[in-house]
Amino acid sequence: MAETFPWLSWLIFFPLVSAALIALLPARAERTIRLWATLASVAELAFALPLWWRLIPGHPGWQFAEHRSWLPGLGSSYSLGADGISVPLVLLTVILTAVAIVGAYNAVEKRPREFYALLLALESAMIGTFFARDLLLFYVFWEAMLVPMYLLIGVWGGPRRVYAAIKFFIYTMAGSVLMLVAILWLYFLNRSVTGESTFALDAFYRLPIAPATQVWLFLAFALAFAIKVPMFPFHTWLPDAHVEAPTAGSVILAAILLKMGTYGFIRFAMPLFPVASAQLTPWIVGLALIGIVYGALVAMVQPDLKKLVAYSSVSHLGFVMLGLYALNAQGMAGAMLQMLNHGISTGALFLLVGVIYERRHTRLIADFGGLWKPLPVFASVFLVILLSSVGLPGTNGFVGEFLVLLGAFRTNVWWAVIAGTGVILSAIYMLWMFQRVMFGPVKHPENERLSDLSMRERLVFAPLLLLVFWLGVQPQPLLDRMQPALDRTLALVRERTAVSERMAETQEPLPQTKEPMLVVPARGIR
Amino acid sequence: MPLLWIIPALPLLAVALNLLIGDRLGRRGTAVLAVGSVGLSFAAAVRAVMALAARPEHERAITETAYTWMRVGDFSADVAFLLDPLSAVMALVVTGVGFLIHVYSTGYMAHDAGYRRFFLYLNLFMFSMLTLVLADNFLLLFVGWEGVGLCSYLLIGFWYTRPSAVEAGKKAFIVNRIGDYGFILGMLTLFAWGGSLQFERLFAAAPHVFAVGSAVITAATLLLFLGATGKSAQLPLYTWLPDAMEGPTPVSALIHAATMVTAGVYMVARCHVLFDLAPAALQTVAVVGAATALFAGTIGLAQNDIKRVLAYSTVSQLGYMFFACGVGGYGAGVFHLMTHAFFKALLFLGAGSVIHALSDEQDLRRMGGLARRLPWTHGTMLIATLAIAGIPPFAGFFSKDEILHAAFASGHYGVWIAGLLGASLTAFYMFRLYVLAFRGASRLTPEAEHHLHESPPSMIAPLVVLAGLSVVGGWIGPPMMEGGHWLARWLRPVFETGTHGHEAAHHVSRGVEWTLILLSVAAAAVGIYAAFRYYLQRPELSTRLREQYAALHALFSNKYWVDELYDAVVVAPIHRGSLRLWRFWDEKIVDGTVNGVGYVFEGASAVLRLFQTGFVGTYAWFFTLGVVLLVAQLVRR
Amino acid sequence: MTAALDTIPLAWTLGLSAIVFVIGVVGVLVRRNALVIFMSIELMLNAANLAFVAFARSLGSLDGQVFVFFVMTVAAAEVAIGLAIIVNVYRLKETVYVDEINLLKG
Amino acid sequence: MTLVLFVAFAAVLIGCSLMTILHRNPVTSALFLVLAFCSLAGLYLLLHAEFLAMVQVIVYAGAIMVLFLFVIMYLNLKRDVEHGLQFALRRGAGWLLGALLLAEAALLVGRRWSGGPVTQTAEALPAIGNTQALGQVLYTRYLFPFEITSIVLLVAMIGAVVIAQGRGPKVGATEKPNS
Amino acid sequence: MNAMVPPPLIAADWWALGPTIALSAGVLLLLLLEFVPSRPNSSRAALVSLLALVASVIAILRVRDVKRSLFEGMFVHDGFTVFFTLLFCGITALAILQSWDYLKRTRLHRAEYYPLLLSATLGMIVMAASSDLITIFLGLELMSLALYVLVGFRRSQLESSEASLKYFLLGAFASGFLLYGIALLYGATGTTQLARIAQFLGDSAALKSPLVLAGGLLLLVGFAFKVAAVPFHMWTPDAYEGAPTTVTGYMSAGAKAAGFAALLRIVIVALDGVQADWRPILTWMAILTMTVGNVTALLQTNLKRMLAYSSIAHAGYVLVALVAGGTDGASAALFYLAVYSLMNLGAFGLLALLGRQGEERVLISDLAGLGFRQPLLAIAMTVFMLSLGGIPPTAGFMGKVYVFGVAVKAGLIPLVVVGVLNSVVSIFYYLRVTVAMYMHEAHGEPVEVAWAIPSTIAVLIALALTLYWGVQAQGLLNEAQRSVLGLL
């Protein structure tokens, strides 16, 4: 792995630099701005794609790792790494960012410069979050994501955008600050055991933690992630944020930001605190199952398309959580797939909603009806995406959903029995919505002369449709890439469970040390 | 190698081409593409089956693996195809009947605006159905299973501007989904205990891992059967099929009569090894099948829509197939599946021809006397009606007789009586249909009268072919052949694996067998006679009957109010509950708590601001209070 | 505490200083006239001074007295500025009552 | 003798202090404060701080209090009106805290204090507080604070000028409050 | 003893005294320059003040690694002093850059402004640099007196005068307590030198003497007032709101830092032995300060007032570091104060730009629509607000990490949890600023922004440092840590 070129850093900072450059363009030059933004996102995509081939299959550890000193006094370092878990998610990120940028050409009427700059900055933060291998660095990226997203919702959003933006920001932050406390606790715990000041994830992976301590740490981490996921009952920010966000914002929010939560579980919460995780499994799985059913039921009665999709996300992410907590190969792989699937299909759904919103400036189901007639291509694309979301075999949604159910079933039959009802319910709410929007006679005359998907829009959906079928028909290459990392995570969980359970039931949470928090090289004192 | 993957791939290719260059093909090109692909597919199937037949009996199973679909941990599923006698029968029926119906459709849909879309869906359906039939594992079968469901959804709602069609499509999909839920859970159970979803491996392992009658296998098979009831419109999930008649008639013929709805039967037959291990499940299959046969038959008595009558008859016939399987007569079930495909497809196509001729009139009460005006349609329809009624030597007679024989021979007398009763009912309502449509005086609207014409050759030709099949189709399975008839022998390699508990029971004496045949023919004859008497000779009798048994008639014509019941018990409460869940629980309680926290802080802020009076005295007072409290800390110590 | 009759016990002086200090505090709390409040503050400062002197006496060190000297200087400076401020407020608002001066609040 | 004087001065001090904060007329208050300061000077004398006693009378009672009186006269202040429930409440609250504070002090002082230089009574070092010694330390040990004090006085000067300067040039007089 | 002649000063001592000398000289020079007539809106005074500050910085940097105790500890020169001297000089320099144009625009351009500013800075430096209660008191009074005047500098405006009056009366009131505390401590230990107090407490059983404890407490009250800790905070919003905006910025940063500097030195050098007695009190004070500050800020409409409450809350965060105690806590407090000063000054500096001649446009709604019309201002303001709220990648985040880190290390998890939750509450009102700027359109005439070169420089410096310390704080962390080692 003698990587000389800091590839991952390049991936992280290229969009940021592009954002800065775009911000310097004159505000009037909208065409140039769009062009640059598109080029930047496509270039980023081109830079990221080789990750797919260059990821060494069967290699469970970090690849393309980078390590640089950052805050030596604290022991935090700028260290990055990729593996089979993060690479697919990063690829999803770059693809959807590009798609969102191209998709937003017409939607963003005011201040495209700032809009695109923020979107690219957001991309940087998201990629950084996936690649960070140092907890403090991770936290920095994690929180940094909030700001651009907040502005995207707040400035370019709908009528209640301010409320939604603030709610999004504060709710998410409320969860994550406790994680910061837990990170610090972990840091000192590690220091008291090993004497080493470090925020490195790998070091924490080796740290034995007493079960009693684990519970608190896990809860702090889990809250942050559960809000992001969002798990029932922490989900109410999501419908608000989605409804108010501009299309590109919704796309990114649904496709990537929500994955941060589940990524956090798989990368941090579960392997670091396996005993606590196991102890709390009934609660988490319970919430996931409630989320599946609840999200679907509530989605069913939504009058607003975006809200419907938002609640469906709650349901889908419930599947992901269920898969993770099945704690077996199938469940984990299914959960990972489901993360990607949800990114693709829900991202596409938001784009689709954006397409008609651009044309009609409404998202209420009741304002549509009979759209198939004027918009056959649009309707067909919508149908395919919708079926992927419903999990029809042959599309990506099925593979993930089935693997999750399989994993869950093998852990606990009843989990799968309850989760399976989501299969029925998702069909109900999606098809009913589709029926009301697309079928029947054209109820509103203004819908009659809507224009169908333009070339650009078709171009936007093409990669997503491709992914839908490719992952549905041939998921194995992806599975092969993820498996080693997932196996490592599973092994880590087992191993650490064993280690922790050998420890004494109670351990002094933090043995006090006299040495200072900061290790600073002394300067000569005369 | 017979290249099995070609069979489903051809229609898929047609779909792709249709999507990509369909707009440049024109109607003719589209038709050629669609029909041609299915025809080629049929040819490929024939070739493959011949290759299969050329093999010695016990090597008649060809597996072809295309690639690994997914492999995670110890779970793996391939995209692999299996051709054995059972799937061979299915493949031939599907491609054969499918081809005919494609041909028919070119005429029937000739003036529809959605011509290209129609064939797109239809080809997609062929692909899915063939995948279903040829899959060598449950997961791939499920791909086809859901795929046909999707196509069914799309085709039922083909005329999407009609709300009723759209509603019917959605209903079909959702009801099927309920079945699929069972199917998925069944698959999960099988994998969790059986260790594989590949048919061969699973069936080989099944007798070793599952004890006969154990809870696991019973649950698994019942769950699979739940899937089958959805797909094959059995109680309690049959309600979508009659509504599905909103689709174009060729669709009804292909999907909702000949092929897709029989998928459940095929699946049960395919899994006979498993069902044999679960007697309770088998019993359930038999009872549900028989009950459905009878139940749907009674509803069929009172329907006036020509396609609805046929739909209920389909439900009823499917019931026959299931109870055949339930009593262990898998071969009989498959036999009936095949013959039913011929005559029911014919019936639908014939009905379609009538509808087409009458400018989309479907109500039997506004038909009559069409025999002379539509001679080809009338002739073929009569053959089909005789076939379904079970009159020898038409196809239906042989298969239905075999089913009843199997029921009787295996000792399921109750089921047998139900079957006999059902046969009589079938004959009655089918001939009622026949009489109302083709005999008697014309009750046509003047407008329909004006446009009345016989269908074009592209529609008549398939009718004729199917009529031929409806006549001769049953002859491959004559009763009382030594060592089983031809079809049974062909299927033997499939059905003789697993347990053999039911084989012995099949042997009853010739005398009994003859009696059974006579009884069933007599039952049919009674039905036919009654139909002629009540609807042709003395129509007023039927009116009187209807008045005498008004309650019963209401029950039948309103389909036992099952739709209304489901609506009131399941749909409406869920909808209402969800609304409440959203409006009250989600917005008021969950989100209310979140916002409540915000309000609490705002309130606290307002209160704290009150302390900030702007008066120096207040400030000093709180300052001093602080001092007092701090010093109090010392004093306390 | 001590045998010498002409020596004042420290506790007495301290007690006295505490009483005067508290009187000063109470004055700040109960009055509305800025000038009187200011005078009360002067009382507090002087109470502190008394404590210093008393301690200096009992410790036998000069530091306390020096401290008092500095305090007096500072107090003088404070009075100069404080009175200027009060006069300025009076000029603008025609009042020295602190409960009439609450433009800023909340 | 000393004790008697102490008690006398203390009584006057307390009485005058009380009158300062109780009397409604600011002029009277100020005058009582002068008296209090004088008695404080007396106490300083008793405590052998002669220089301080002198400064107390000259600077405090003299200069500072004159300034006070001057301002009171200048502003032409009348008797403060403080009736009504509001003021009663404020008085009650104020006295309550005062009482609490005093009670706490008493409780603290009432305890036995251990060790400390407090117990080294002053007999050993009589009459140290003479002016000469004070002057000496002020310019040696306390040179730095002394210099700071000079700046403090400078600031007081500047400050008083800034704020109390006559109407003179209207500094920002046209501004309108806008918040 | 009284005849003792102090040891002569060596060269390094003069450099160490450099800032005090340079600032005093600056004050005098400025006053003298008034006799030399100048153009009406001359920048002479500001330049001279900056020169004095530069001289101070140069002087102290020459001897930054030297440790000296002068005048028997009344002026000590150690890392702590150097850190705070640099901090105060920086704060003052920024404040001068911000005032440069503001004074002219608001017609406050009077000769006395800069001398007062420099005197206050001198007072702060004395507070931080002295290890004797006498000089600490004098430094505090010097600073306070100058600030009383500066707060009331808009003397023709009632708000300003009222603010000044309130600040003054309460400040004097607090001084009384502080003084009484010093007296008690002096009485209990016989000295005002911190080192000797520590010595005395170290080798005697007087540790638990109520005099020591009460004295310490009253001392705490005095400084808690200066740093605006609850319940001694109530003057803060009024004084901040009424004062000229640049003065508000200056005092919010400088006075608070100075108060903490003195408090830290006292706590670390003198009262280390009574840590355990202080801890619960400080804990509660920290909790109350954070919570009251943040919660009350939620509903404010005036930005200055909101930032005043925010500054109260930030005092609470620093108190958390104090509760953690030891060099860890002190170093965290130093770091946080530096960061806080920077971002707060930055925010107030931006507020000072708003409004035409003489107007004060500091309502949150006044910012409406500024986001895209004034990108630099809006971006800078956003960064400062996010930094105040502790969002990465800004310096405020690193500050929170460090402060809460040392608290976690000390095992104060509940306190830290309260702290982080408070930062969540706080983000609500910080976001309101960005909401106004980016998400609301201006009603009526939009507020004017008066850019000038000096203030722009000030904004850019603050912005750059806030971001730089957000991504690479190691340098400042090192300084904060080194500065608290081996206090004199």
Side-chain angles (χ1 to χ4, degrees), chain C residues 22-100:
Chain C
V22 171
I23 290 173
V25 171
V26 172
V28 172
L29 296 185
V30 300
R31 297 302 299 264
R32 61 194 288 238
N33 186 326
L35 281 162
V36 181
I37 289 176
F38 195 10
M39 286 192 256
S40 307
I41 292 173
E42 291 301 328
L43 265 180
M44 289 164 66
L45 294 183
N46 277 282
N49 282 351
L50 180 58
F52 268 117
V53 175
F55 281 127
R57 167 74 179 153
S58 81
L59 292 167
S61 96
L62 262 184
D63 296 347
Q65 290 197 20
V66 178
F67 212 123
V68 171
F69 174 76
F70 285 127
V71 172
M72 283 182 180
T73 327
V74 167
E78 230 169 40
V79 167
I81 287 180
L83 289 179
I85 291 173
I86 292 173
V87 169
N88 192 42
V89 168
Y90 186 84
R91 270 209 308 233
L92 294 169
K93 179 88 192 210
E94 303 272 312
T95 181
V96 290
Y97 294 143
V98 290
D99 54 0
E100 288 171 3

